[in-house]
Amino acid sequence: QVQLVESGGGLVQTGGSLRLSCATSARAFSDYAMGWFRQASGKEREFVAAISRYGGTIYYADNVKGRLTISRDNAKNTVYLQMNSLKPEDTAVYYCAARPVVPSKTASDYNYWGQGTQVTVSS
């Protein structure tokens, strides 16, 4: 069982930045591809970004390209989401997720999920 714990969410003004972290309990963190998803109130969960085991393959949703950056530190068992130029439409609960080996843009492909961290962008 892999446990994931997100942190770093909060309230920020439009144009501001936040850095989300997701710490994992995985003994072999580098065995897992990692993803970030988000869910706004009243909406379905949507893909944000995903990264392969060693960072060689990265995917982004079109609406976050150039503003959000996913990265990972396998020595620290942690994946990050650097969020710049934030917009009110980025307001959501952000979740990290893990799946073996291959990254995916599909939420149902992921085996493990964190509890989420709230990001609120004020206009």
Side-chain angles (χ1 to χ4, degrees):
Q1 187 73 11
V2 175
Q3 293 184 327
L4 308 176
V5 180
E6 300 96 337
S7 61
L11 174 65
V12 64
Q13 292 184 336
T14 296
S17 297
L18 284 174
R19 188 194 196 201
L20 306 184
S21 299
C22 174
T24 81
S25 66
R27 291 188 175 184
F29 179 60
S30 59
D31 284 351
Y32 294 90
M34 302 297 296
W36 285 99
F37 292 78
R38 67 187 183 186
Q39 188 166 16
S41 180
K43 297 186 177 180
E44 294 187 354
R45 191 168 299 190
E46 66 171 357
F47 169 74
V48 175
I51 188 168
S52 59
R53 293 185 298 158
Y54 296 98
T57 298
I58 291 176
Y59 302 130
Y60 292 104
D62 287 342
N63 57 356
V64 306
K65 283 180 181 177
R67 301 188 299 116
L68 276 58
T69 302
I70 189 172
S71 62
R72 65 189 293 161
D73 186 337
N74 286 351
K76 296 182 178 180
N77 285 13
T78 301
V79 63
Y80 304 97
L81 186 67
Q82 178 66 43
M83 309 170 69
N84 298 330
S85 302
L86 284 164
K87 305 175 181 180
E89 51 263 45
D90 294 317
T91 295
V93 178
Y94 283 72
Y95 299 90
C96 70
R99 72 183 302 262
V101 186
V102 180
S104 172
K105 299 179 182 181
T106 303
S108 59
D109 287 342
Y110 286 81
N111 304 86
Y112 305 102
W113 290 83
Q115 82 290 346
T117 186
Q118 176 71 47
V119 171
T120 303
V121 184
S122 63
S123 56

